[in-house]
Amino acid sequence: MQVVVHGSTLSAATAATALSMVGHRVHWWPHPDTPFERLEESEWLNSEPGLKTQLDQARAQGSLTICDKQSGLPRANIYWLALDPDKYDYARDWVQTVLAKEKGEFVIVNNSTFPIGYTETLSNLFTRPGQSCVALPDMLEEGRAMAMFTRPTRILLGSDDEFAIKQIRELLRAFNRREDSFQLMPCKAAEFTKLAIIGMLATRISYMNELASLADTMNVDVEVVRRGMGADPRIGHQYLYPGCGFGGPNFAQHLTRLSEIQAEKGRDSQLMQQVLDINEHKKETLFRKLWQHYEGQLVGKTVAIWGASFKPHTASIDNAPSIALMQALFAQGVKVQVHDPMALPRLKEFFGDHPLLTLSNSAYEACDGAEALLLVTEWKGYWNPEWQRLSTLLKTPLILDGRNIYDPAYVADKGFIYRGIGRRADPR
């Protein structure tokens, strides 16, 4: 198939790359605000596992062409829109002025997170048979976008047009072989389902974080509670891990949008706002534990932070818990030595030459002379540290585990004071 992918997002780059790998002839047209020259140097494109390598291979093989001008686009079977959420007016104007004049058959894929119902708005611009628009909500996650696109557990497809459904099934056939992953539903329902899924996942996380705080006051290990809950088949183990808050460029935005939709419909539901409020509060959990340990005497202290990105395998620090944590520490005059495998350049951009911030080249360098180690992002390289080495580097053997990745009893046996999220242990 001839495919045009339009947008400068992670979903646009992933779709263009993945579709070109399986025989489609793909033209990727980034949004004019962010041309490919800028994208090619962007940190997220180069750090996303497998993406840039496959993209370069597809370009070298000729199955993927970069077009920075609309004039270079061919007529296509599929027009894949993966634009930023605020570009919905732009998308409508482009579809109306360019594609609505086309006489051939084609399908527009709305892969953008536009307002619910916008796929129908775009579809109503066409009156000719064989021209339609489907909703294919973006369900990708930073750090594993290529894996999620090429090995999907589900594909939400919003459409009631048989021609369009057939075309999309053929477009994605290479990624739908093991079992039928398509979930067909009306356009508006598919768009709503994406937000509903995000809302449910965020609610589970915030609920577990509330339970972890309660467990702290009752001297109960929340890990035991988590396993007991997860064993119930009505609940399961997914997204039941308490921590020091979630982040990312889109998660909070989608939750806010879901809350706004409820308000627009006259429904006074405060749940989503409470989920967001709980999450913002949890971002300072490690700071409060540090404050409690040192009884508020933090001025002049030095701490090490492992992990700054909002999740492993990404350089993004958008809404990351590490940012709120560091701002709270700086406000108390605490010196911060931070290590992250990928996000240090982003921290440099965000904080500049902050006098209390040191960017460390290694995890152990960050711990040298620190009076506590705060684990914020659970990169795999942090899971099994050299405890003996840490004991010689840290001035105070205090471990504050924001992701509960360590065994409290094991850490305590190594001579450390351990404080997790709803977990604790002291040296015996």
Side-chain angles (χ1 to χ4, degrees), residues 70 128 169 193 218 223 249 301 304 344 360 394 410 417:
Q70 180 179 311
R128 296 185 180 92
R169 281 188 172 277
T193 298
M218 300 172 62
E223 176 65 10
K301 292 280 192 285
L344 294 187
S360 303
L394 293 172
Y410 185 87
I417 301 166

Side-chain angles (χ1 to χ4, degrees), residues 351-369:
F351 286 112
D353 295 320
H354 198 289
L356 296 177
L357 177 63
T358 299
L359 305 180
S360 303
N361 294 320
S362 75
Y364 294 104
E365 179 184 309
C367 296
D368 191 10

Side-chain angles (χ1 to χ4, degrees), residues 13-32:
T14 305
T17 302
L19 292 173
S20 66
M21 288 165 47
V22 295
H24 299 299
R25 185 70 178 87
V26 180
H27 287 72
W28 179 18
W29 177 32
H31 188 273

